[in-house]
């Protein structure tokens, strides 16, 4: 049996995803975590650490930093120096710290987008400049002319998402070079949320950390990464920023001073195991998720009123349901027992986001329920 076919009961485990529909016949396909068990190496490392029994103040050890550096080198051919790493309890914290650290009045983002890209600038009382993604060759991408035109002199920060959530775009080298040139030309700091980097499902496509392109972009970059999506350990709160420029790094650290920064001992333990012993598991996960994506894509093809552009990454599909003319698409499908993510918080109420990071059995059942809901509209 495939490891990822094992159905694990996540109820009674404080699980946000399943608790939302407690005691209801609803398949949760919303928040971005997966229903899979983490790799055994992580579970073993955590068990071993817990059995030690002493949980005092814990710092980041050299081995953990090395595990991060080697993982990034191995997977993305980017050589990170240990002093560039700033540990964080979450990527969202990193986005909020960035918005406080950078001297800017406006923040430029693309839309629709993961809601914290809007919330973080709001929390720091910054104005938002929103540049909608465009459809090109059946794929979501940036309209670079519109993007450049939207930048004004009081905007010094671009909050970028690559791979993109929602939409699953992995930006190409050429696209990243365009972004890099625009950031340099307009003196923008780029905060690049690359939390989904490891979840590339198309073997023809590679994730390129934008900071790895050249020195010029590296020195104006804050890259946010984490093992949380990849190894399904979001509840452990492990993430980090990579900030090559010393002055930018100082500003970032100043903005986080006094807050519950860094991470915690179980997160450190899990991260070290994830980055040193789980490449094979990750490879198998990608294969399984790709098969799931195929199921979703085939399903959408069968239903002409649904639309899904090509995606190369993430376990999240951004489905256009506008042709159904529903007052509230989320509520409609919920009545049929599927709990999808509403499009509105991402910036488009005509879309629903479907999380296919689950067993094939559950995914197929979810798709069957959606099919039934669609039939009843005919
Ligand atoms: C693009 C993106 N950034 C950040 C996060 C959340 O990161 P964290 O849990 O580390 O704060 C998510 C979770 O869905 C995400 O999709």
């Amino acid at each position: 049996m495939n490891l990822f076919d094992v159905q694990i009961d996540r109820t009674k485990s404080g699980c946000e995803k399943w608790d939302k529909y407690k005691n209801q016949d609803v398949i949760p396909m919303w928040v971005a975590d997966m229903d899979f068990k983490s790799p055994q190496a992580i579970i073993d490392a955590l068990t071993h650490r817990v059995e030690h029994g002493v949980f005092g103040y814990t710092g980041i050890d050299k081995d953990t930093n090395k595990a991060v550096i080697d993982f990034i080198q191995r997977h993305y051919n980017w050589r990170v120096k240990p002093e560039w790493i700033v540990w964080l309890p979450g990527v969202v914290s990193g986005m909020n710290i960035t918005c406080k650290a950078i001297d800017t009045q406006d923040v430029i983002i693309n839309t629709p987008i993961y809601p914290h890209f809007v919330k973080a600038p709001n929390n720091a009382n910054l104005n938002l400049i929103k540049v909608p993604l465009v459809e090109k060759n059946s794929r979501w991408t940036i309209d670079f002319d519109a993007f450049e035109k939207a930048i004004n002199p009081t905007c010094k920060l671009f909050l970028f998402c690559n791979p993109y959530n929602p939409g699953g775009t992995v930006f190409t080298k050429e696209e990243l070079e365009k972004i890099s040139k625009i950031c340099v030309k307009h003196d923008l700091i780029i905060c690049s949320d690359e939390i989904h980097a490891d979840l590339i499902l198309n073997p023809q496509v590679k994730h390129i950390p934008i900071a790895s392109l050249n020195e010029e972009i590296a020195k104006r970059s804050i890259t946010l990464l984490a093992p949380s999506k990849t190894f399904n350990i979001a509840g452990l709160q492990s993430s980090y920023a990579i900030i090559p420029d010393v002055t930018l790094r100082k500003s970032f650290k100043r903005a986080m001073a006094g807050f519950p920064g860094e991470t915690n001992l179980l997160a450190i333990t899990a991260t070290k195991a994830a980055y040193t012993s789980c490449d094979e598991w990750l490879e198998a996960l990608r294969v399984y998720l790709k098969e799931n994506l195929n199921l979703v894509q085939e399903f959408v093809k069968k239903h002409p009123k649904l639309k899904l552009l090509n995606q190369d990454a993430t376990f999240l599909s951004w489905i256009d349901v506008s042709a159904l003319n529903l007052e509230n698409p989320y509520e409609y499908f919920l009545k049929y027992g599927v709990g999808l993510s509403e499009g509105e918080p991402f910036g488009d109420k005509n879309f629903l986001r479907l999380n296919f990071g689950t067993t094939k059995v559950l995914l197929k059942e979810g798709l069957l329920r959606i099919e039934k809901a669609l039939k009843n509209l005919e």
Side-chain angles (χ1 to χ4, degrees), residues 225-242:
L225 283 165
S228 48
K229 300 286 163 204
T230 319
F231 301 101
N232 213 26
I233 52 172
L236 288 172
Q237 301 190 311
S238 172
S239 84
Y240 51 94
I242 299 178

Side-chain angles (χ1 to χ4, degrees), residues 114-262:
Y114 176 63
H116 287 282
F117 281 73
V118 172
K119 288 182 192 169
N122 282 345
N123 292 341
N125 295 318
L126 302 173
N127 300 317
L128 275 167
I129 302 172
K130 295 181 180 178
V131 185
L133 288 189
V134 288
E135 176 184 340
K136 202 173 166 193
N137 302 327
S138 271
R139 169 179 173 271
W140 292 110
T141 187
I142 294 173
D143 176 340
F144 294 98
D145 291 335
F147 182 82
E148 188 166 7
K149 276 194 197 118
I151 299 167
N152 61 36
T154 52
C155 177
K156 294 292 163 213
L157 176 61
F158 174 31
L159 282 187
F160 180 45
C161 190
N162 181 35
Y164 200 87
N165 173 19
T169 297
V170 180
F171 291 94
T172 63
K173 185 160 192 237
E174 200 191 345
E175 289 170 325
L176 295 174
E177 274 164 355
K178 279 187 192 161
I179 293 167
S180 160
K181 275 200 184 120
I182 295 172
C183 290
V184 171
K185 183 169 160 196
H186 295 274
D187 192 25
L188 299 186
I189 298 293
I190 182 164
C191 175
S192 187
D193 175 344
E194 302 186 10
I195 195 169
H196 294 282
D198 308 323
L199 297 171
I200 307 294
L201 308 184
N202 178 351
Q204 320 296 332
V205 164
K206 277 213 168 337
H207 172 77
I208 304 170
I210 193 160
S212 71
L213 279 185
N214 57 60
E215 284 255 337
E216 249 184 337
I217 193 70
K219 71 182 187 209
R220 53 179 64 253
S221 68
I222 297 170
T223 303
L224 301 175
L225 283 165
S228 48
K229 300 286 163 204
T230 319
F231 301 101
N232 213 26
I233 52 172
L236 288 172
Q237 301 190 311
S238 172
S239 84
Y240 51 94
I242 299 178
I243 314 174
D245 183 73
V246 63
T247 310
L248 188 54
R249 199 162 61 240
K250 270 191 189 149
S251 304
F252 187 91
K253 284 188 173 174
R254 205 175 306 127
M256 71 187 277
F259 289 102
E262 298 215 324

Side-chain angles (χ1 to χ4, degrees), residues 4-5 16 32 315 319 355:
F4 301 103
D5 280 326
E16 270 191 56
F315 47 82
I319 302 174
N355 177 343

